[in-house]
Amino acid sequence: MEEKQRFAIVCPCCGQKQYAQKSIFHAMGIADGGIGSCLQCNAVMHLIFDDKRQEMKAEKMERRIP
């Protein structure tokens, strides 16, 4: 089984450090194409990947109403 690179992120709600992998959208070049939930507080996070720096950050997921 192929092992993928993990990136450290910090939950914007509780501060828990955890790790995430690039999403399919990140791999396609869509920097803000990731979503995840915190393993500690279960908050929904928006995952943003910076390809130049090879870093990922997590932001609070804002509810978007069409």
Side-chain angles (χ1 to χ4, degrees), residues 1-46:
M1 184 180 340
E2 181 185 343
E3 195 169 313
K4 296 184 179 182
Q5 187 175 6
R6 301 180 317 154
F7 301 91
I9 59 170
V10 176
C11 175
C13 295
C14 72
Q16 176 72 29
K17 181 179 178 182
Q18 46 204 300
Y19 296 89
Q21 295 177 342
K22 291 197 305 186
S23 70
I24 293 170
F25 292 112
H26 288 145
M28 291 171 48
I30 302 170
D32 62 351
I35 296 174
S37 60
C38 177
L39 300 172
Q40 180 72 27
C41 71
N42 209 31
V44 178
M45 300 178 286
H46 186 199

Side-chain angles (χ1 to χ4, degrees), residues 7 22 26 31 48-57:
F7 301 91
K22 291 197 305 186
H26 288 145
I48 301 167
F49 184 71
D50 184 338
D51 196 36
K52 288 182 182 179
R53 300 174 107 179
Q54 290 293 299
E55 294 178 347
M56 189 175 300
K57 69 176 180 175

